[in-house]
Amino acid sequence: MIVWILFLLAVVFILALDLGVFNKTPHIISTKEASKWTLIWVTLSFLFSGVIYWLYTTDYIGNPDKLKPAVASMKFITGYLIELSLSVDNIFVIAIIFASFKIPQKYQHRVLFWGILGAVIFRGLMIFFGVMLINKFTWTTYVFGLFLVFTAVKMLFSGDEEDFHPKDSFIYKALGKIIPITSEMDHQKFFILTERGKKAATPLFVALIVIEVMDVLFAVDSVPAILAITSDPFLVFSSNIFAILGLRSMYFFLANMLAKFSYLEYSLVAILAFVGLKMLLHDFIQVPEWASLAFIALSLLVGILVSLKFGKEKELTDSDME
């Protein structure tokens, strides 16, 4: 438990440092600043795989699957890349939510900060129950596998879905019944007092709640996906947390370039289908860890390169059709 406690304390320290030092004053995060922090988070994540290697050569961390240190490191990186790639869809939704509630750019980081803090807690609970189910009921592996394959097929053939309208969502309507909602904002406050002296939720708080709920829905896909790679609770949790912590900077880095990565969706389809089939066929085919990592990395690379090459042409074609 010492390693778990130290890891959680490190996460809390990083978040406190983030809000209390680096982003103490609300400001618009430029693409340059976001790219710098994205690079820092990706670098830290890959460096942590070295920590994983060291931990699994000692008795400091539980090793229920009896993993070798090199395999544990590869599983961590594979899980991290899966979570990072599946976060792309999350970024699209976050951008829509911010636009819908007209959240000023300089306050978006504060909303994402508290959103990620909540995501850490919810992901932790989902991972705990997911690992418990797989260890207690082995047949749930097939259920998760079928769900991931179904999700991949649905993504592939869904085509252009209806736009998500946060203000028409059940979350927004349910929140309005619990507490009054105002369209007014007072800097970065989540609540303000109305003229009648009643407390009301500002658009910042509403956006935060919608983002939290949407993250839980996205976790329904991402948690089973990483459980296909490993059921080791520390590897699943730590790779999830590193992907979540890097989500803020990645959002500000990609928010203005989402249209350029229109073909990345097919990479996500390939990754979900791969991990789903891996779960379904684990009794018959043992895929080496390096092969899983290579497939996921290659899928992301191809999706990015194809998007950069043909995304602009697609964007121009769509604008011409309009």
Side-chain angles (χ1 to χ4, degrees):
M1 289 300 295
I2 293 175
V3 174
W4 280 91
I5 293 169
L6 289 174
F7 181 75
L8 290 171
L9 286 174
V11 170
V12 172
F13 174 75
I14 289 168
L15 289 172
L17 200 65
D18 187 317
L19 192 65
V21 179
F22 297 114
N23 292 283
K24 189 176 181 179
T25 304
H27 64 284
I28 296 174
I29 296 176
S30 64
T31 304
K32 183 180 179 181
E33 183 182 353
S35 60
K36 179 186 74 175
W37 279 106
T38 300
L39 181 61
I40 288 172
W41 278 116
V42 172
T43 303
L44 283 174
S45 302
F46 276 86
L47 288 175
F48 192 75
S49 67
V51 176
I52 292 290
Y53 184 93
W54 173 73
L55 284 173
Y56 281 76
T57 59
T58 66
D59 295 325
Y60 294 134
I61 190 74
N63 189 359
D65 296 337
K66 308 299 179 188
L67 300 174
K68 292 181 179 179
V71 173
S73 292
M74 281 192 286
K75 283 183 179 291
F76 169 81
I77 295 171
T78 305
Y80 170 72
L81 289 177
I82 287 176
E83 295 303 315
L84 205 62
S85 60
L86 293 176
S87 293
V88 173
D89 271 356
N90 212 346
I91 289 173
F92 275 95
V93 173
I94 290 171
I96 293 169
I97 292 169
F98 281 152
S100 177
F101 293 109
K102 297 180 173 61
I103 306 298
Q105 281 187 307
K106 64 179 180 179
Y107 300 139
Q108 290 179 3
H109 182 275
R110 177 176 168 81
V111 176
L112 286 178
F113 172 86
W114 291 107
I116 282 165
L117 194 60
V120 169
I121 297 168
F122 287 122
R123 292 289 179 102
L125 289 171
M126 294 183 76
I127 288 166
F128 172 77
F129 287 111
V131 170
M132 185 178 69
L133 281 172
I134 282 183
N135 289 334
K136 194 165 185 177
F137 307 104
T138 53
W139 53 267
T140 54
T141 303
Y142 300 105
V143 175
F144 286 152
L146 279 171
F147 175 73
L148 291 174
V149 172
F150 169 76
T151 304
V153 173
K154 186 181 175 184
M155 284 176 66
L156 184 62
F157 295 105
S158 61
D160 295 327
E161 297 181 354
E162 276 187 44
D163 292 335
F164 173 59
H165 300 288
K167 289 186 178 179
D168 295 333
S169 67
F170 170 78
I171 312 159
Y172 181 81
K173 292 175 182 177
L175 186 63
K177 293 178 181 179
I178 299 170
I179 186 171
I181 295 173
T182 178
S183 59
E184 295 177 20
M185 276 190 280
D186 184 4
H187 301 291
Q188 54 182 342
K189 291 180 180 178
F190 287 129
F191 300 96
I192 60 172
L193 290 176
T194 62
E195 293 178 356
R196 296 180 180 180
K198 291 185 177 181
K199 184 180 284 188
T202 66
L204 266 71
F205 182 75
V206 180
L208 170 63
I209 297 301
V210 176
I211 287 172
E212 287 283 14
V213 176
M214 294 308 298
D215 181 75
V216 171
L217 295 177
F218 277 109
V220 173
D221 288 342
S222 65
V223 171
I226 195 172
L227 288 174
I229 302 302
T230 179
S231 59
D232 184 301
F234 186 72
L235 292 179
V236 175
F237 184 70
S238 58
S239 57
N240 245 273
I241 296 308
F242 270 97
I244 291 171
L245 290 175
L247 180 61
R248 288 163 303 164
S249 55
M250 195 167 75
Y251 166 77
F252 291 109
F253 177 61
L254 293 177
N256 298 322
M257 300 186 290
L258 290 176
K260 294 181 181 179
F261 294 93
S262 54
Y263 288 93
L264 199 57
E265 191 83 5
Y266 296 104
S267 296
L268 305 187
V269 169
I271 291 169
L272 284 175
F274 172 76
V275 295
L277 290 171
K278 186 178 178 181
M279 274 185 138
L280 291 172
L281 303 174
H282 74 280
D283 287 332
F284 310 101
I285 302 172
Q286 292 296 321
V287 181
E289 207 51 51
W290 63 265
S292 296
L293 180 57
F295 178 87
I296 290 163
L298 185 63
S299 297
L300 286 172
L301 181 62
V302 169
I304 291 169
L305 292 176
V306 171
S307 294
L308 292 175
K309 185 173 178 60
F310 299 107
K312 193 172 182 181
E313 295 176 13
K314 184 180 177 183
E315 195 177 342
L316 289 171
T317 304
D318 290 343
S319 61
D320 289 340
M321 289 176 67
E322 290 176 3

